[in-house]
Amino acid sequence: MSTATPTPDNPFPTFKLTGAILTAEVRQYAATRFAITIWQGKRFKSWTATSADQCRDFFTSRDTEAVRYEERKAKLRLERAEQRRTAMAAMLRTIVPGMLLHGSWGYDQTQCELYEVITVKGTIVTLRPVSYNREPIGWASEKRFPLKGNYVGEEVTMRISSGGVKYSDYCTLTPSDWNKGYYCSWDR
């Protein structure tokens, strides 16, 4: 803690405190009144106290809390990164050539995308959209049954992520079953 000596012009000097994460400025504005302002980066907050020791104790406890908080944040970041790595490794083992990938999207309707995996190289996958048989199940809705090897478009290249293959901002393709029907609906 650095302190300034009282002078006739400034009978109540200020002093600074520096901790592991926080910094503070303590200003005495009366015989038994102190104001402490604590900064963490650009954020700050002010409190009042009745003694310099009380300011110092308060600052030390806040700095200790800040250190613990930063340690917890770093631990959670590492845990989330490990979870993403594990999920990515599992997805890379799951997606293989010949597999069906399905994704659905829509606001007031449900569109479905059906793709067959052609090749996988690292995290890059080559896909082709597949045709399907339709089975009406009601007004403006149907089930779509994919036809393996019956392509309806050109090959596309996409990247595998931990959740599947990101088709667009609103749709992720995930591993699916060739024998299942996929629901689709629309508004006419």
Side-chain angles (χ1 to χ4, degrees):
M1 173 166 77
S2 63
T3 59
T5 307
T7 63
D9 295 337
N10 185 7
F12 302 118
T14 62
F15 56 92
K16 295 197 179 295
L17 299 170
T18 304
I21 293 179
L22 306 177
T23 57
E25 180 179 272
V26 178
R27 184 173 47 84
Q28 183 178 0
Y29 59 92
T32 59
R33 299 302 294 167
F34 293 81
I36 179 170
T37 303
I38 298 178
W39 284 271
Q40 181 173 0
K42 292 183 179 181
R43 296 180 305 158
F44 67 92
K45 191 157 184 176
S46 297
W47 292 271
T48 58
T50 57
S51 72
D53 289 337
Q54 188 180 24
C55 288
R56 193 174 12 268
D57 294 344
F58 182 72
F59 173 77
T60 303
S61 69
R62 292 288 180 186
D63 191 51
T64 304
E65 287 174 20
V67 167
R68 283 195 210 115
Y69 175 75
E70 291 299 323
E71 287 171 351
R72 282 193 310 270
K73 264 182 24 180
K75 182 180 176 186
L76 284 173
R77 260 194 310 272
L78 290 173
E79 287 172 1
R80 282 193 297 265
E82 182 59 33
Q83 289 170 350
R84 282 192 302 273
R85 277 192 294 275
T86 303
M88 183 65 170
M91 190 58 66
L92 288 171
R93 286 189 305 272
T94 302
I95 296 179
V96 294
M99 172 177 275
L100 174 71
L101 297 179
H102 165 260
S104 64
W105 56 275
Y107 175 70
D108 58 349
Q109 57 188 355
T110 304
Q111 299 294 328
C112 65
E113 306 295 335
L114 300 166
Y115 283 85
E116 183 176 343
V117 176
I118 306 300
T119 61
V120 178
K121 292 181 184 171
T123 60
I124 304 298
V125 64
T126 304
L127 309 170
R128 278 192 84 178
V130 295
S131 182
Y132 45 83
N133 287 329
R134 297 175 176 184
E135 180 183 300
I137 58 171
W139 183 81
S141 62
E142 66 187 14
K143 281 210 172 186
R144 295 181 177 175
F145 294 88
L147 301 172
K148 189 171 185 171
N150 192 358
Y151 305 115
V152 293
E154 298 299 316
E155 290 184 353
V156 293
T157 302
M158 297 182 188
R159 185 175 298 277
I160 299 172
S161 69
S162 59
V165 176
K166 189 167 182 177
Y167 174 74
S168 63
D169 287 343
Y170 48 83
C171 181
T172 299
L173 304 172
T174 56
S176 301
D177 184 8
W178 282 101
N179 300 316
K180 182 179 171 190
Y182 297 94
Y183 178 78
C184 182
S185 70
W186 56 93
D187 189 15
R188 291 187 183 185

